[in-house]
Amino acid sequence: MHRLLLLSCLWLLAAPPASTIFQRPTGTPAPLRLQYLLEPLHPTVHTQRGATAILPCVLRTLPHNYRVKWSKVEPTNYRENIIIITNGLYHKNYGPLSPRVRLRHSHRYDASLTITNVALEDEGRYRCQLVNGLEDESILLTLHLEGVVFPYQPSNGRYKFNYHEAKQACEQQDSRLATYQQLYKAWTEGLDWCNAGWILDGTVHYPIINSREPCGGRLLLPGVRTYGARDKQKDRFDAFCFTSALQGSQVYFIRGHLNFKEAGQACRNHGAAIAKVGQLYSAWKFSQLDRCDGGWLADGSVRYPITIPRERCGGLPDPGVRSFGFPSKEMRTYGTYCFMGK
């Protein structure tokens, strides 16, 4: 017995430290380093809606019979949609991005992708892949738009959207369904909402800052709570929409006692259109629009943006876009928020 104990102790002393036990076994090849493509200095490219963005992809050398393929990694189905393929001399564009993309090609090693008039749906991950037989390699880049996430429900109440209706509702309000990353970032910035909503990948979540009984209970920690993936046809929730600033646009308020129809006409008289919900959120977030006046919006709701909270403007302690819901469109009680595009 004592002999076995002594042998066990000797084995433990001779054993390598924990940090080396899980090292790669001898003979296992290390991950391949890039031979033909340069690592990007900044893997995330920041841009604005309506701007021109360049995703860098530069070759170290030009191998024989090579092609460079650009594709977009879609979060909804985890597939990659081809955008453009080039062999250095000729190129071909593919898909819905086709009219707005080109190769920068500032020199013969440059295969960088240029996207003009950046749209909300352009945000996401892109792959530049060098196709060269057995030596294929690629880099991943992220196109990031600064934006704002907002919860949205229709005039007939909460939990009325299936996934496809939620997607359409966001698009009608100058926005799109948020990604999980966008929703998580919004939560870290203070988004606190008790109603669950669809996001772009077909999962359902709700962000909580202040734990409370109607929102999962006081004992659950703050966070982005999840219902996971749901049936896109049958299950019904609200929506979390994402919008961004649009260069050269303006949202402004017209005072008056207007019903919904008169509100739309008042905006058209100024050469503008009645603002959508996403446009009001964008103006609040990026132009610091601050008004205590409720105004009609294109979906028939009445809202007002508060940048500096104060007692006589709803009394809530945090900035935000306040809502009066969906009053009767015949009521002559409110002004209107107008949107002037570039």
Side-chain angles (χ1 to χ4, degrees):
M1 180 70 180
H2 291 293
R3 179 182 174 84
L4 288 173
L5 182 60
L6 177 62
L7 288 173
S8 298
C9 293
L10 288 173
W11 182 87
L12 286 171
L13 289 172
S19 60
T20 62
I21 288 175
F22 300 102
Q23 285 184 345
R24 186 185 304 111
T26 304
T28 302
L32 291 176
R33 296 185 63 185
L34 292 175
Q35 299 179 59
Y36 298 107
L37 297 177
L38 289 175
E39 284 280 0
L41 287 176
H42 305 288
T44 299
V45 175
H46 297 267
T47 188
Q48 290 183 314
R49 188 159 51 141
T52 295
I54 297 175
L55 299 173
C57 185
V58 178
L59 282 67
R60 300 172 187 269
T61 185
L62 302 178
H64 293 294
N65 300 320
Y66 79 95
R67 290 179 298 155
V68 170
K69 178 174 71 175
W70 275 100
S71 56
K72 188 171 189 289
V73 184
E74 297 294 350
T76 51
N77 53 22
Y78 304 104
R79 294 183 178 179
E80 297 193 13
N81 292 330
I82 297 175
I83 299 170
I84 194 168
I85 297 178
T86 180
N87 64 0
L89 295 175
Y90 306 100
H91 69 272
K92 184 172 177 59
N93 292 17
Y94 298 86
L97 266 174
S98 180
R100 296 190 289 113
V101 295
R102 65 177 187 271
L103 295 171
R104 181 174 64 178
H105 208 63
S106 58
H107 52 79
R108 66 194 188 111
Y109 299 100
D110 184 15
S112 301
L113 184 71
T114 299
I115 305 175
T116 61
N117 194 22
V118 170
L120 290 173
E121 59 269 22
D122 296 342
E123 177 163 289
R125 302 180 75 195
Y126 291 78
R127 186 187 302 276
C128 177
Q129 182 179 14
L130 184 135
V131 182
N132 184 36
L134 297 177
E135 297 179 308
D136 295 358
E137 59 186 44
S138 63
I139 57 173
L140 278 171
L141 299 113
T142 299
L143 185 66
H144 175 74
L145 277 73
E146 287 296 327
V148 57
V149 172
F150 61 94
Y152 189 75
Q153 58 183 222
S155 58
N156 57 341
R158 69 196 287 262
Y159 293 178
K160 300 296 183 182
F161 294 136
N162 66 23
Y163 172 82
H164 306 287
E165 292 164 345
K167 184 173 182 291
Q168 184 181 31
C170 288
E171 291 168 356
Q172 289 173 344
Q173 296 309 313
D174 193 46
S175 59
R176 69 186 298 232
L177 280 175
T179 64
Y180 182 82
Q181 291 78 10
Q182 290 164 346
L183 181 62
Y184 185 88
K185 182 174 183 289
W187 168 71
T188 66
E189 295 172 349
L191 181 60
D192 182 282
W193 197 255
C194 211
N195 292 350
W198 294 102
I199 63 171
L200 187 60
D201 64 2
T203 57
V204 175
H205 309 266
Y206 65 102
I208 293 297
I209 298 290
N210 303 306
S211 298
R212 50 203 187 271
E213 286 303 328
C215 303
R218 297 180 183 276
L219 298 181
L220 286 180
L221 293 174
V224 178
R225 313 267 174 79
T226 180
Y227 287 6
R230 308 303 293 232
D231 189 307
K232 292 182 178 181
Q233 292 288 353
K234 297 179 182 178
D235 289 328
R236 295 188 173 272
F237 297 96
D238 292 346
F240 285 105
C241 305
F242 171 83
T243 192
S244 181
L246 182 61
Q247 290 185 335
S249 64
Q250 179 188 10
V251 174
Y252 60 93
F253 181 74
I254 294 179
R255 189 183 300 275
H257 297 284
L258 310 170
N259 63 29
F260 178 72
K261 185 176 180 180
E262 292 166 342
Q265 187 59 53
C267 292
R268 290 191 292 273
N269 291 344
H270 285 247
I274 188 168
K276 299 178 179 180
V277 177
Q279 292 163 348
L280 184 65
Y281 268 93
S282 178
W284 163 74
K285 178 74 172 181
F286 298 105
S287 302
Q288 287 74 54
L289 183 63
D290 183 287
R291 287 205 68 102
C292 235
D293 307 280
W296 291 104
L297 296 177
D299 66 340
S301 65
V302 172
R303 306 174 196 247
Y304 63 101
I306 295 296
T307 302
I308 303 171
R310 46 208 186 269
E311 189 63 33
R312 298 185 64 181
C313 292
L316 295 176
D318 300 314
V321 174
R322 319 283 195 235
S323 175
F324 290 147
F326 294 84
S328 167
K329 291 183 176 181
E330 303 304 317
M331 290 182 63
R332 286 190 171 90
T333 308
Y334 306 103
T336 184
Y337 288 95
C338 303
F339 173 79
M340 179 79 74
K342 58 180 180 178

